[in-house]
Amino acid sequence: MMSLLLDEVALAALRLADAGVESPRTDAELIAASVHNVRRGELHTVRDCDFDARFWAEIARRAAREPLQHITGTAHFRYLELDVGPGVFVPRPETEVMTGWAIDRLGKMDVAEPVVVDLGTGSGAIALAIGQEVPRARVHAVEADPLARAWAERNVTRYVETAPYTAGRVILHAGDFADALGDLDGTVDLVISNPPYIPVGAYVEPEAGEYDPPAALWSGTDGLDAIRTVQRAARRLLRPGGLVAVEHGAQQGAAVYWVFPEEQGWRDTRNNKDLAGRDRFVTAVWPGEGA
Ligand SMILES: C[S@@+](CC[C@H](N)C(=O)[O-])C[C@H]1O[C@@H](n2cnc3c(N)ncnc32)[C@H](O)[C@@H]1O
């Protein structure tokens, strides 16, 4: 016999589909799982519907296009479970691919304790994933927005509690890309950033436009202002032979390539794709000033 809860999940999925939610069935199941404190694959075992009112209240929030992760309070990023909510950017799957590139390159680097800088860490997603998957790295995570930084602090604490050996390896800093971490100039092995990159006035889905912090989205008329600042910060921070990886919008590959040109000293500038095959991040090597 199908559980009553699964009947309700099916109805909720219809309601979310009507509201224009992209993955209505998945979201209805994940909300039900979070309400009943079970895994999604265990929903069929739930028999009591005592949580109905809460379930339908949360479905109503999702139908109003509040992000799923704000409702459940959790975002999954690579092997991490992160706390998220109002005031912080919800980490996206496309950023997992760029982070995977960085983890792969750090793994091949012949450096005992690579120094990494994550510019605009938000929830701490990139920095913590690198800390978890490359435990010998020391990761400096920079964030200007105090609200976002509070979420990152919470996630660093949560992460260190589950993996005490990582204490002190992911270090949060308040600051701006432009002049952050001057004491590390010329010494960093890898700079990574998912900066804001949406042109002011462009359309974004309500989940982003109404719930992600504006400082995480908008970046000048062509969307490239923050990427240009990251470029300048990377050439200041990187040691000769250091690497940079910067995320951008799917239509910005060609433009971002020219933010890291050979004429300005960069080498091996490449456009890289996300899992959907769209241009998503640029990578380059900094050979050093005058090389
Ligand atoms: C798109 S979000 C990315 C957050 C996180 N790295 C991720 O991938 O989920 C960009 C972040 O950069 C921060 N930010 C924007 N401009 C900044 C600046 N000039 N200096 C420092 N942080 C900045 C924003 O507050 C926001 O948290």
Side-chain angles (χ1 to χ4, degrees), residues 113-121 124 126-128 130-131 137-143 156 168-174 180-181 183-184 187-193 237:
E113 294 200 335
V115 177
V116 178
V117 169
D118 171 19
L119 292 174
T121 200
I126 297 174
L128 287 168
I130 292 176
R138 185 170 295 267
V139 189
H140 296 270
V142 177
E143 176 56 54
V156 170
R169 303 211 69 87
V170 176
I171 306 144
L172 282 177
H173 303 265
L181 303 173
D183 50 330
L184 294 183
T187 67
V188 174
D189 296 289
L190 187 144
V191 171
I192 186 165
S193 182
L237 287 163

Side-chain angles (χ1 to χ4, degrees), residues 54-97:
R54 187 174 146 206
F55 174 66
W56 284 105
E58 295 194 0
I59 290 295
R61 287 169 64 190
R62 186 69 191 100
R65 306 294 296 271
E66 187 172 341
L68 172 73
Q69 296 86 347
H70 281 209
I71 297 167
T72 61
T74 299
H76 294 271
F77 188 83
R78 293 186 66 88
Y79 304 106
L80 294 166
E81 202 176 280
L82 299 161
D83 290 343
V84 292
V88 74
F89 181 83
V90 173
R92 307 292 207 270
E94 25 308 4
T95 310
E96 293 179 311
V97 180

